[in-house]
Amino acid sequence: MVQYHGQAYGGEFVRVFITGITGPVGSALADYLVALPGVEVHAFKRWRSDTRPIAHLAGRITLHEGDIEDPYSVMRAVERAAPDRVYHLAAQSYPSESWDAPIVTMRTNVEGTINVLEAVRRHAPRARVHLAGTSAEYGWVQPEDTPIPETHPTRPLSPYGVSKVAAGLSGLQYAANYGMHVVVTRSFNHVGPHQGDRCAIQTFCRQMALIEYDRQEPVIYVGNLEARRDFTHTRDVARALWLLLDHGAPGEIYNLCSGVATRIGDIVAMVQQHGRVPTEVRVDPARLRPSDEPLLVGDNTKLRQTTGWQPQITVPMIVEELMAYWRERLASGG
Ligand code: A2R
């Protein structure tokens, strides 16, 4: 068991349990929490999870193994961790995969969430619980519907979006029926290290790094440059999640977003400016989606007013950090 020293958070020691710790949000949250005084971090991971995003935290956090689809392993981990706060981030979080594997998506995201809620209800009923939802729950949105408030109807277009609506509603149901402290977020595009290269900013930065290392022709392949999206760095997300379990009301849903729309073409231009070699931009038809909302931006008023949170990391700062990240990965043979 990891030993904790020093001053406690708000005068009390807090035990936190994170699922999905190997993802970009989970690893950023763990980094944020280990730096807080008096916070003891427990986390849940699969046997086969790639632990590189949290390798530097070895000895500073306690890992419990299992699978959120397996209720027994979740029960055991929650009972052992006896948390005061639970951040449930584990999910099948790729909309595209959710069409190929809708049943797995439902099992992981809906059954998995119910397994977490049941484990908390039985073994840590006073814990504050955060459930991670997504802007995909809103589905197709017209530009005039933006910035999207939490009250906007949910009409998800993917099995992923449907699964997250069901997971979030399950959380609200546990709050209503069992008096549990469950808070739900809907995250727009979060971006940060350890994310892979599916997000637009990541794929542009990775391509630029590959070009610099002479591993790709000097062409950045892009999709729809006119789409405008709302990006938040995972470190800002981590801080918001912590504040939300301090100040968020149980049974409430909060958009987690910057509230700022950035045109994808402008991000490509920023990446080109950071590049050490000249590049051409070419549209790759495979990167164009049949349906792609022109503008997706969230209204974060409720989150800001409840917690005092403000995002601190802008898109140009994200591009600069991710260029350094991908260069470092390629330099170290990644
Ligand atoms: O793939 P792994 O083994 O590294 O773990 C992933 C974990 N996960 C699971 N953990 C336990 N049992 C499962 N059946 C299971 N399936 C997936 O969830 C990984 O640690 C995490 C998912 O990481 P990402 O997909 O990269 O999520 P991200 O971007 O950190 O988003 C966090 C949350 C997700 O619930 C999104 O749907 C939401 O924010 O927007």
Side-chain angles (χ1 to χ4, degrees), residues 20 22-25 46 49 67-68 89-91 93 108 132-133 160 164 190:
T22 54
V25 176
R46 291 191 271 200
S49 292
D67 190 302
I68 56 162
L89 306 169
S93 70
T108 306
Y160 169 61
K164 285 289 186 170
H190 54 246

Side-chain angles (χ1 to χ4, degrees), residues 59-297:
R60 299 172 72 193
I61 62 176
T62 304
L63 292 174
H64 303 262
E65 294 202 331
D67 190 302
I68 56 162
E69 291 180 41
D70 179 320
Y72 302 106
S73 66
V74 182
M75 291 277 181
R76 195 173 52 241
V78 170
E79 186 175 16
R80 286 182 181 162
D84 304 298
R85 294 185 178 207
V86 174
Y87 290 97
H88 176 42
L89 306 169
Q92 191 307 89
S93 70
Y94 296 106
S96 46
E97 264 70 356
S98 77
W99 275 289
D100 294 335
I103 301 298
V104 170
T105 301
M106 291 294 164
R107 274 197 203 123
T108 306
N109 297 356
V110 184
E111 283 189 32
T113 298
I114 292 169
N115 288 338
V116 170
L117 290 166
E118 268 303 309
V120 173
R121 185 174 78 85
R122 288 169 196 225
H123 297 295
R126 293 215 298 271
R128 297 183 174 196
V129 182
H130 161 258
L131 302 181
T134 164
S135 58
E137 293 173 47
Y138 295 118
W140 181 265
V141 171
Q142 301 295 334
E144 56 269 25
D145 297 330
T146 62
I148 308 164
E150 291 84 353
T151 49
H152 189 79
T154 51
R155 287 187 290 247
L157 294 170
S158 63
Y160 169 61
V162 173
S163 73
K164 285 289 186 170
V165 170
L169 288 176
S170 301
L172 302 191
Q173 178 246 309
Y174 272 71
N177 290 318
Y178 302 119
M180 283 170 56
H181 189 115
V182 181
V183 174
V184 178
T185 54
R186 290 190 184 137
S187 187
F188 284 61
N189 296 60
H190 54 246
V191 57
H194 313 300
Q195 193 171 25
D197 72 342
R198 291 179 188 227
C199 156
I201 303 187
Q202 300 280 3
T203 169
F204 304 147
C205 292
R206 176 173 174 271
Q207 289 186 69
M208 179 54 88
L210 284 168
I211 292 166
E212 289 175 357
Y213 278 80
D214 220 9
R215 286 166 61 176
Q216 178 170 322
E217 59 175 333
V219 178
I220 302 180
Y221 291 94
V222 300
N224 177 8
L225 293 178
E226 295 311 318
R228 288 187 291 155
R229 295 288 179 267
D230 181 334
F231 295 97
T232 308
H233 194 288
T234 48
R235 279 199 298 280
D236 278 332
V237 171
R239 193 163 42 84
L241 295 183
W242 181 252
L243 290 171
L244 253 186
L245 285 193
D246 272 347
H247 305 292
E252 289 293 322
I253 297 171
Y254 297 84
N255 280 341
L256 210 177
C257 55
S258 71
V260 175
T262 306
R263 187 178 156 270
I264 300 297
D266 293 343
I267 296 173
V268 176
M270 285 179 219
V271 171
Q272 284 186 295
Q273 273 168 13
H274 273 280
R276 294 171 181 159
V277 292
T279 46
E280 181 193 320
V281 174
R282 202 175 295 164
V283 173
D284 172 5
R287 291 170 195 257
L288 293 171
R289 296 192 193 144
S291 63
D292 204 3
E293 288 98 331
L295 174 63
L296 273 184
V297 62

Side-chain angles (χ1 to χ4, degrees), residues 1-5 9 12-18 30 33-34 36-43 60-62 64 80-85 242:
M1 179 66 67
V2 182
Q3 296 299 314
Y4 294 88
H5 306 283
Y9 177 82
E12 284 176 38
F13 284 90
V14 180
R15 289 161 73 99
V16 178
F17 182 76
I18 305 171
L33 295 182
V34 295
L36 291 180
V39 175
E40 182 178 316
V41 179
H42 291 251
R60 299 172 72 193
I61 62 176
T62 304
H64 303 262
R80 286 182 181 162
D84 304 298
R85 294 185 178 207
W242 181 252

